[in-house]
Amino acid sequence: MAAVVLAPSILAADFARLGDQVRQAEGAGAGWFHVDVMDGHFVPNLSIGLPVLESLRAVSDSFLDVHLMMDNPGPFLELFAKAGADLITIHQEVSPHLHRDIHEIRRLGCRAGVALNPSTPPDTLREMLPAIDLVLCMTVNPGFGGQQFIPEVLDKVARVRRMQAEMNIDSLHVEVDGGIGVSNARQAAAAGADVLVAGSSVFRGPGTIEENYTAIRASLAVAV
Ligand code: DX5
Ligand code: ZN
């Protein structure tokens, strides 16, 4: 199995102690963090935005993966790039001009991702697959941390990998996001996911942040 990234989602962190908590996860080996931006329209919740991303960028050299759960991301892409995003993911469901948005993200010097809700098929991504760096298969309905993992989505992960093989695309990340922890991380990786986002199970798990992160990593080495 190729190298798998375990990316803590800061949505589940204590925002009053964000820098410390990110450092703790980094101490356990994390080098990629997932940043959830919610607009109260595309998803029924609000979260964080540019100021928090800027503050995080100022205290961390880790890779910052920004997941935009917003209706109209186009006018904000440059602001997120300037605030320190390394990768910007937009939702397929809200982007009729995916080609323009993806090329804009790349022009800004970021990697580009496209997210699919659990009910969105991956087939519509075929045209764009060669131009994107990451497909995010949501394993919960976006909007909240701490929800239950939807196992059927792993079939979609495998379908994205098959599409990648058919199209002879060398490099593509497939990310899963929502409800990931020790009980299913290995299964998600076996289906073809190489970026596993984990919020509650890292920042609100049974042990310290270091212990939780290490336990999920260790679970990846166990046979399914
Ligand atoms: C949900 C977000 C997720 C969330 C995952 O809308 O996109 O990134 O933080 O949280 P957990 O791991 O707690 O399900
Ligand atoms: Zn997310």
Side-chain angles (χ1 to χ4, degrees), residues 53-220:
L53 180 61
E54 269 166 14
S55 300
L56 186 56
R57 178 79 294 163
V59 298
S60 174
D61 291 329
S62 286
F63 189 86
L64 300 180
D65 155 19
V66 177
H67 176 194
L68 296 182
M69 284 164 275
M70 54 193 291
D71 264 345
N72 187 22
F76 294 91
L77 297 174
E78 186 163 2
L79 294 171
F80 281 103
K82 286 195 172 137
D86 292 299
L87 182 146
I88 299 176
T89 294
I90 55 178
H91 268 263
Q92 202 266 2
E93 300 83 6
V94 293
S95 300
H97 305 294
L98 209 53
H99 185 274
R100 179 164 62 207
D101 291 341
I102 291 299
H103 286 283
E104 174 67 0
I105 292 170
R106 303 193 86 154
R107 187 189 68 77
L108 292 165
C110 297
R111 306 228 187 127
V114 179
L116 304 171
N117 280 342
S119 60
T120 305
D123 315 76
T124 50
L125 273 189
R126 186 172 281 275
E127 304 300 326
M128 289 310 297
L129 212 56
I132 65 184
D133 298 290
L134 177 143
V135 176
L136 166 48
C137 296
M138 289 301 303
T139 41
V140 296
N141 286 292
F144 302 92
Q147 299 184 85
Q148 210 180 345
F149 174 71
I150 302 172
E152 294 82 358
V153 175
L154 295 187
D155 181 60
K156 178 158 57 182
V157 169
R159 273 187 286 152
V160 173
R161 285 298 185 204
R162 280 201 293 277
M163 203 189 302
Q164 176 192 357
E166 281 161 26
M167 295 175 71
N168 288 315
I169 294 170
D170 280 347
S171 112
L172 177 73
H173 289 299
V174 180
E175 181 176 59
V176 285
D177 180 14
I180 302 289
V182 283
S183 64
N184 52 23
R186 180 70 179 77
Q187 226 186 328
D194 69 335
V195 183
L196 313 179
V197 174
S200 310
S201 59
V202 170
F203 291 106
R204 302 182 187 190
T208 63
I209 291 169
E210 289 93 333
E211 286 165 354
N212 297 335
Y213 186 90
T214 304
I216 303 168
R217 275 241 74 98
S219 75
L220 290 170

